[in-house]
Each structure stands twice: as C-alpha cells, then as structure tokens.
Amino acid sequence: MQSQSLFTRMTGKNVLMSFTGPFDTEVLSIFGKNIENSISQNKKLNKTIFKVFIELAQNVSYYSLEKEMTKKGEKAGVGTFIIQDFNDHYYFILGNPIDERHEAILRDKCSRINAYDRDGLRAYKRELRKLPPGERGTGNIGLVQAALVSRNPLDYTFIEINDNQAFYIVAVKINKN
Amino acid sequence: MNTINKKLSLGQSLFSEEIRISYKGPVDGKIITFLADYIYVINELSEKATRKIFKIFFELAENISKYSADKIKLKDGKEVGSGTIILKETVKNFILVTGNPIKNNDLIPVMENSKNINNLGHDELREYKREVRKDNTVKKDSPNIGLIAVALTSGNPLDIEINPIDDETSYFSLAVKVDK
C-alpha cells in the first residue's frame, strides 16, 4: 500500500465513494445499495464490490476499538471505507482503530490468507468456521471471504496511534476484467 | 480535491479526532438523513449550535445533490449529484466543508453572489436575501439563496475556492465555520 495519506485517498479524484463514521446496519444497507447500483455499469462487478464491502464492513462494525452510539441506540464500530477507481481495477480500502494487542493476530491472519491458493483459502475458511464464536474475533472469515471473492491478495498495514492503539488498514483490489 | 485538503490542513490523519464525519459519493435523501442523524449523535453542543449545523448541512448537501456536475444514477433511476461532505471539529468551532464539480455556467452567479455575501453585515445580508428572492430572474431553488442562508446562519464568512477542471467544469469547494 502506498504511503499516501489516508485523507488524500479519501477525497481524491479517483474516489467514487468514501465514508468515515459508525458502521451500523443502516450504513451497510444504504451504502451497500449504492455500491450495488452505481459503481459501474457492470452488475457482476458491482456485486463483487458489494460482497467485499459487506464482509469487511461488518468487521469494522464488530471489532473497531472506537464505538459510537447511533440515533437508533445501536452501538457500532467507527471506521473508514474508500472505493477508488483505476483503469483496470477498483481498490477497496477499509480502516479502523484496533487494540494494539490485536495487531500481531491480524498481521498473522492476513499473511496466512495471502500465502494460500484458492483451495487453501477454502480449507482455511472451513477451519475458521469450526472455531467457537468467542474465538473467531478480529473478523477472520470476512478477510478470507474478501480474498476469495476478489481473487486478489489482501493489502494491509498498521499505523501506530499510541502505545495501546493502532489504525488497521486492509485493502482489496478488484479487477475490472 | 486539493482545495478540500488545504481547507482541512493537508496531510492530517483521517483518524484524527478532528474529522467527525467524512463522506464522498452520491448525495440523495437517504444519505442526507443518515448523515444528519449522525451529526445529531456526535453533537454534544448547545441547541443553538446544533440547529445551526443542521441548517447549514441541509443547505450544502442539497446544493451538492442538485448542482454537482458529477451525476450518479441510483437504483430507482433517479439521478443525484455526487460530492464530498466533511465535518471537522476544532476547540472553538465546527467546520463544514463540501466539494463537488460544478458546471461553469452555474458557477459564475455563485461567484458573484459569494463576493457580495462576504462583504455584507448581518442586516445587509438579510436585505440582500430578500432582494434575491424578489428577483424573478433567480430561480427559487437557486444555490445563491442557499448560500446567503448559510452565511446568515453561520455568522461567519464563506470560504470558497474554485479550481478549473476543464473548459466547462470547475471544482467548487466551500468551508463554513460554526462557533461552538
């Protein structure tokens, strides 16, 4: 991932959609619909981006360290998503603050996901599904699913906020062809 | 887009507490309601300040929806303008920043209008609003009336910046301060 500031990424010329705020069910529904209907003319491609969005956005909602109470009284994780448009691909970026202790776990998961081929990823997903809910934490199935759906490795990085918190960014490339 | 970055101090991290809301995409009724609900939640301000932010937010969001040159077709077939909306918080105030491409034909009257707006005091501004409303050549839903209302509500000058994109379009960005 290039070291361009996240803010510039968010408002840049090739940004089709971006948001920072609480990822509650309404965000998933409104933005999900807009992604599915207005990103491109290619419905199949929009569907792929939609699936990646849902998988990763749910992780923000559940696991972001920063929580915000919405007007409906729903407690949702706060994060950021960005969809960028390039010549031959879309780039979906998602970020949220995490507990610094989760960085090593997430790093390991992303690195494992990137090391697997498709069959390996499917097997890994099955393995994760067998875990008791309490151990699933940090959104690993969503990450596997995003890699499977996009057919590309995950880009990821961690930015230190302070001794206890880091900002976790994961990005997925979605090819146009 | 650089113009928005400048207004927010280029390079500041997105996860900085100063940026309370940031959105880029199609601005339709659902998004406006959703963002307004979020403003309501994060705003631990006096009723007066909250009311001001809401008023300004609705005017500016509506301007993007109607006048952005970047149109997006939604599921219901409706075409809406797309743009950027950012709410930043500082110690003393909130700053609402919006940005969108605009057709140069729509831009010229806005530019003339904004010059006037920033040169007028509160009472003169109210008078100017009445004049613009009476002017039959100005459409009732003109962005100009919206901008006068925004200036009146915020009580601060409008910080407008325009960068040409091509012969027909420019990028229009606006920052409005609301004192806490």
Side-chain angles (χ1 to χ4, degrees):
Chain A
M1 198 176 295
Q2 292 159 15
S3 62
Q4 191 187 359
S5 90
L6 195 57
F7 185 78
T8 311
R9 278 176 173 272
M10 219 168 147
T11 54
K13 211 174 178 180
N14 59 353
V15 173
L16 295 179
M17 216 179 276
S18 67
F19 171 69
T20 293
F23 279 53
D24 62 353
T25 44
E26 210 172 349
V27 164
L28 300 183
S29 158
I30 297 175
F31 293 159
K33 270 182 203 151
N34 283 350
I35 288 168
E36 226 182 334
N37 294 298
S38 62
I39 291 290
S40 76
Q41 300 298 316
N42 183 336
K43 282 187 179 174
K44 201 178 157 195
L45 196 56
N46 291 356
K47 193 84 189 166
T48 305
I49 302 170
F50 169 77
K51 281 182 186 167
V52 171
F53 168 74
I54 293 293
E55 290 299 342
L56 297 181
Q58 278 175 346
N59 286 351
V60 176
S61 183
Y62 298 147
Y63 305 114
S64 172
L65 196 61
E66 190 186 342
K67 303 279 185 202
E68 197 93 58
M69 195 68 87
T70 66
K71 204 179 175 185
K72 287 181 177 169
E74 201 180 319
K75 204 174 178 189
V78 174
T80 293
F81 87 83
I82 306 161
I83 302 173
Q84 290 177 307
D85 185 8
F86 294 96
N87 281 343
D88 59 351
H89 68 275
Y90 292 102
Y91 201 53
F92 185 93
I93 307 170
L94 206 113
N96 59 271
I98 55 160
D99 188 316
E100 189 271 332
R101 287 170 300 180
H102 290 153
E103 181 178 329
I105 305 170
L106 276 165
R107 215 178 259 284
D108 177 57
K109 269 170 199 161
C110 292
S111 145
R112 278 183 76 173
I113 289 167
N114 286 349
Y116 287 128
D117 60 11
R118 284 189 76 74
D119 288 341
L121 274 178
R122 286 196 188 107
Y124 185 40
K125 195 169 101 177
R126 282 194 293 273
E127 193 186 306
L128 292 173
R129 276 211 172 123
K130 285 179 196 160
L131 288 174
E135 289 175 40
R136 285 191 181 163
T138 53
N140 35 27
I141 290 185
L143 288 174
V144 179
Q145 196 62 18
L148 271 169
V149 169
S150 70
R151 295 174 177 266
N152 277 310
L154 307 173
D155 275 349
Y156 57 95
T157 191
F158 297 86
I159 301 165
E160 192 187 320
I161 299 176
N162 57 40
D163 286 350
N164 307 313
Q165 291 178 31
F167 196 79
Y168 161 58
I169 304 172
V170 63
V172 183
K173 186 176 160 184
I174 299 150
N175 300 327
K176 288 187 179 175
N177 295 310
Chain B
M1 269 60 57
N2 279 337
T3 176
I4 284 193
N5 280 332
K6 264 191 261 165
K7 288 190 190 314
L8 292 156
S9 310
L10 180 66
Q12 76 171 307
S13 304
L14 191 64
F15 49 85
S16 140
E17 281 184 355
E18 287 191 345
I19 304 282
R20 304 305 304 264
I21 294 177
S22 176
Y23 172 78
K24 183 174 180 184
V27 179
D28 66 336
K30 278 185 185 165
I31 288 291
I32 293 176
T33 310
F34 167 75
L35 293 175
D37 280 352
Y38 186 38
I39 291 174
Y40 173 83
V41 170
I42 61 170
N43 234 335
E44 290 151 357
L45 291 171
S46 68
E47 210 179 302
K48 200 177 163 191
T50 308
R51 220 170 33 231
K52 279 185 176 184
I53 292 177
F54 268 116
K55 261 188 172 177
I56 294 169
F57 166 75
F58 282 117
E59 289 288 353
L60 298 184
E62 208 176 313
N63 276 355
I64 295 177
S65 187
K66 285 182 185 164
Y67 299 104
S68 172
D70 183 10
K71 299 281 183 206
I72 290 183
K73 206 172 197 173
L74 299 177
K75 197 182 180 180
D76 53 10
K78 200 173 129 193
E79 264 200 346
V80 297
S82 179
T84 301
I85 299 172
I86 294 158
L87 180 66
K88 176 187 172 179
E89 183 176 4
T90 67
V91 179
K92 290 183 179 166
N93 43 50
F94 274 87
I95 302 168
L96 254 167
V97 182
T98 60
N100 58 275
I102 185 169
K103 292 279 174 204
N104 290 341
N105 288 345
D106 290 332
L107 187 65
I108 296 158
V110 172
M111 280 308 290
E112 284 168 359
N113 188 44
S114 62
K115 254 188 249 162
N116 289 336
I117 291 173
N118 284 341
N119 288 330
L120 299 176
H122 189 80
D123 292 339
E124 293 163 311
L125 210 49
R126 286 175 70 141
E127 185 55 40
Y128 181 50
K129 191 178 166 188
R130 277 193 287 271
E131 272 173 35
V132 174
R133 271 199 174 142
K134 272 185 214 160
D135 185 346
N136 290 332
T137 60
V138 177
K139 286 186 208 160
K140 291 297 165 222
D141 64 346
S142 151
N144 286 337
I145 293 175
L147 288 182
I148 301 170
V150 165
L152 270 169
T153 309
S154 84
N156 286 306
L158 305 179
D159 181 2
I160 290 178
E161 215 170 295
I162 285 148
N163 288 323
I165 297 174
D166 53 41
D167 288 347
E168 289 179 357
T169 327
S170 298
Y171 194 83
F172 173 76
S173 93
L174 168 67
V176 186
K177 216 187 274 178
V178 176
D179 302 327
K180 284 183 176 175

